[in-house]
Amino acid sequence: MIRSESAAETSHLLVVGRAKWLGELTKTIEADMAPSVQRETTASDGLDAIRERTVDCVVTEYTLSDTTGVEFLKDIRAETTTLPVLLGTGDGDEEVASEAIAAGVTDYIFVDAPIAQTIESVVPRIEDALHSAEQTNRRRERGRQFDAAFHDTQTSTWVLDSGGRIERVNRTARELIDEDHTIGTQFWESQWWTHSSAVQSDVRQLVTRALAGSFGNATIWDPLDEHPRQVIDLSVRPVEDEYGDVTSVVVKGVDITGRVALERDLRQSEELHRVTLNNMTDTVLITNEDDEYTYVCPNVHFIFGYTAEEIHDQGTIDQLLGENLFEREELAAEGILKNIECTATDKAGREHTLLVTVREVDIQGGTLLYSCRDITKRKRREESLAALQELAREFPYAGTHDEVAQLIVDNVSPVLDLEASAVYLFDADSNELRPAAHSRAMRDLHGPLPQVHADDETLPGHGFISGSTLFFADIHGSDRLQNRATDLRSASYIPLGDHGVFVAGSDKIDVFDEVTRELADLLAATTEAALDRVTRESRLRKQDRQLQQQNEQLTTLNRINETIRAIDQGLVRAETRDEIDHTVCELLTSDDRFSFAWIGAVDSTTDTLEVRAWAGEEQGYLDARSFEVGASGTEPVGETAATGEMTLVPNVASNLRDDSWRAEALTRDFMSVLSIPLVYNDVMHGVLAVYTDTRDAFDDTARAVLGELGETIGSAISAIERRNALLTTSMTRIRFDIDDSAFVLSQLAREAGCSLSYQGGVQQTADGSYVFVTVEDGTLESVENTATELLGIDGVQRISDDGKGGVVRIGLNQPFFALELAEHGAVFREAFADDSTTILTIDVPESIDGQTVTQLVSETFEDVELHSKQTLDQAAEHHIYEEFLADLTDRQLEVLQTAYYSGFFESPRENTGESVAATLDISPTAFYQHIRAVQRKVFGVLFENRNVSVAASSGIQ
């Protein structure tokens, strides 16, 4: 008999009943099997013990005090179907046995004397029951475990039959291969494995080996996909029966895509770490407590020039970084010491400045980690920047571009560690770059620096024109190098904006590393800023000077303007020409700007200037000489009188021996002179001369202001003459014969082949001048046709026509000569023109200088000849005429003239009021209202000797 160690050692036996053989059985079991035994006498107590789940096997008799063994068995099976139950009886029969078996008894024991033999047979049967129950429980547990594993959501599970066909698939596997109908198909023919023939072959081999009894495992992915979408870890396990035959195969698949990606990333990270360590500029070293190397970073050569093996051969780190780099006690207290500055010498003998960080570690026998950073370039850069900053403090004291250039040259060495340097400054006037400053080393290496043209042919010129920074490892390789004998090798040409070029170099080849290039650019930028400052300050100083000069000019101009305003006010108040002359001279010399001023008029009989008025420090100058009219070499007033132009003598002392008047003026401290013509409408009314005791006293502004003053004075004189002309009753009637084809009446008479006469009646409107002309000995058609072709005539309108001639109104695009005469107080009385002769009749009031009118006619027309002069007294006529015209509007005068010349007032009338109104482009009603208003004015002047207000009586304007 095979005894189960597990049953004997761990089982708990429940014995129920009062039979003698049960007591003996209990003793035997406790003595031989050493299980724990519980004895109960009733079925209810036994059922309570079972419900506590501490019983592994039950032995009961059939006859119980409270029930039968079969009923007790039924109650047990109601609680559990797996608990082994042995039913023993000495009185039983086949019927009892059948009931027991039907109720689910594990074993039925017939108890027969002797009891010892019964006990001997029962004990192994109990052990068999326990063993069988244990096997059953194990199978059930494995089944439960399989079900749990089969339904695992993280694992795909397939159960295959002995032919490799799928019998069972869990949900995870169905989702993996996305198939609904896989049962009964060969496993390796499932969709997931058929994407690659190689994969399908591998899976088939795994299943085949499992069917042969071998466990298999493989990682499945698409070998053609560098980054597969999914990776499956596939395990195949055979399932054997009790005879060792393979009855089925269990396949499990785990999606390890994430793990594979993680491993791939880890490998890439390790590769990146390795590459980083090999290429980073910081070096990592690890030593033990004895300062012996346990790790040397592969990039150690970047700083020290040694290989990792050569560093190991040095033994201790003291050979590399020096002794007593830090205090061990301080490191122990802090755990890390940062930025310890030290110097180290590399394999080539170059000295490096390092920042070292030391920390305590525990890595593969190493206890101290050193991180070394090379700050040699940074240290050098900081020192150079400090020197550059110090140089920048000197720049504000430089007042010129040359001083800035010299400062740079003197301080290049501390900044760039280069001895040879120069600065070229651009001269815009010559379009050349001149060497403003250079160092002794530059002169020794290169010789004298020439001035170069700002073009692309030379290195300085190319750098300046292109605006590009040029660095040469060896300038002898440049085709723009002019001096091939130079000992310069490395050189830089950096433009300084619009100011020039900065040059720095050395007799060594390729000295411009990254730091030197950066510092050279910074130095050039700082220099350019300093040159910009000097330019701005120079420009500001120039602007200040200009502003000061402008302020002085403005002050002078204000003083002149104040004087001019005072003169203007005096001119307005002046009643006579003499008053104008004296007012102007006195006000001009009231300010100390002008020493002396006088006004003279030309005497045509002596051809000299007669003094009309003067003021200021004359000192007998006007009596010392006569002032002849002359174009050159004469006193400025004489030249102005001859040319009609302003004359300036800025320095009387120059050409002193050439002109006699200069000595007379200089002895009276007259240093500069300006003479101004008093002209209005091309008629000169005299000359104003102004003298000062300083040279160059008359700038452009003063000349412009005084020139305008001359025109204002001429206008004021002309206005007074016109006013006096209106007040005088005596006048001179002058007739002139002219031969000027440009005169509009002469041109029209000649071209039309008729005689024309003008007898007053000019109108001036915004559109131009209109005159009424009587046509004789010709047709109006020929006059109209000719007038339309003449440039000086804008239009012609027929007013009256008697068949042999008539009256036309001619529109002129230029002012008529009558208007110009009126400006000077004279009246253009009439004009007659035929194809050979033109006669002008002009009335000149007694107050007007006839010579002025004669001059005006001579300047206006060609071939002028005085025909006759006649003195007239028109006191009564003048009074009535002026009083009548004083109150007429321009429109009323136009209507009256048009009606008169059209024959409206003739008897019988040559034109009706309606036709005259049509000529004037007004209504007949308006025409008759205007005529009646004029008639009332005429009668009022004749009979009542008073003014009649036309506007008040008729309401027409």
Side-chain angles (χ1 to χ4, degrees), residues 628-643:
E628 296 84 3
V629 176
S632 61
T634 61
E635 218 272 352
V637 291
E639 186 172 341
T640 298
T643 62

Side-chain angles (χ1 to χ4, degrees), residues 428-503:
D429 294 333
S430 62
N431 196 30
E432 289 187 329
L433 293 164
R434 63 177 180 85
H438 61 273
S439 65
R440 179 185 296 273
M442 176 63 77
R443 184 186 59 192
D444 293 343
L445 292 175
H446 190 74
L449 298 178
Q451 196 161 292
V452 297
H453 194 264
D455 55 26
D456 205 43
E457 300 299 322
T458 64
L459 288 173
H462 176 64
F464 179 71
I465 292 297
S466 66
S468 302
T469 299
L470 308 176
F471 287 100
F472 295 94
D474 187 353
I475 61 172
H476 285 268
S478 172
D479 55 1
R480 291 186 175 89
L481 180 63
Q482 288 184 311
N483 182 9
R484 291 291 170 179
T486 181
D487 290 329
L488 272 178
R489 308 299 287 186
S490 296
S492 64
Y493 295 83
I494 306 176
L496 303 174
D498 297 333
H499 304 291
V501 178
F502 167 64
V503 183

Side-chain angles (χ1 to χ4, degrees), residues 306-463:
Y306 297 104
T307 64
E309 292 74 13
E310 290 172 333
I311 293 293
H312 276 289
D313 292 342
Q314 291 183 4
T316 64
I317 199 169
D318 292 344
Q319 299 295 322
L320 192 66
L321 301 181
E323 298 179 355
N324 302 321
L325 181 64
F326 61 93
E327 295 292 336
R328 293 298 181 96
E329 293 79 7
E330 185 180 359
L331 177 61
E334 299 292 335
I336 181 172
L337 299 178
K338 298 181 179 181
N339 298 331
I340 304 171
E341 186 172 322
C342 69
T343 59
T345 304
D346 64 13
K347 185 176 181 180
R350 295 184 295 263
E351 193 172 80
H352 296 259
T353 302
L354 306 179
L355 280 183
V356 181
T357 297
V358 185
R359 70 178 69 218
E360 294 181 335
V361 296
D362 186 6
I363 304 174
Q364 297 181 352
T367 58
L368 296 177
L369 184 146
Y370 296 79
S371 177
C372 305
R373 173 168 296 179
D374 190 349
I375 62 168
T376 305
K377 290 183 178 179
R378 189 178 81 183
K379 193 75 173 178
R380 175 184 162 200
R381 187 174 183 274
E382 289 175 352
E383 292 173 353
S384 297
L385 288 177
L388 183 59
Q389 187 176 11
E390 187 66 27
L391 173 59
R393 294 193 185 98
E394 299 294 327
F395 279 144
Y397 299 101
T400 65
H401 292 84
D402 285 14
E403 291 177 3
V404 172
Q406 192 61 51
L407 268 176
I408 301 166
V409 168
D410 293 342
N411 292 273
V412 164
S413 181
V415 178
L416 299 182
D417 195 22
L418 297 173
E419 297 296 332
S421 62
V423 174
Y424 286 85
L425 294 179
F426 178 62
D427 187 344
D429 294 333
S430 62
N431 196 30
E432 289 187 329
L433 293 164
R434 63 177 180 85
H438 61 273
S439 65
R440 179 185 296 273
M442 176 63 77
R443 184 186 59 192
D444 293 343
L445 292 175
H446 190 74
L449 298 178
Q451 196 161 292
V452 297
H453 194 264
D455 55 26
D456 205 43
E457 300 299 322
T458 64
L459 288 173
H462 176 64

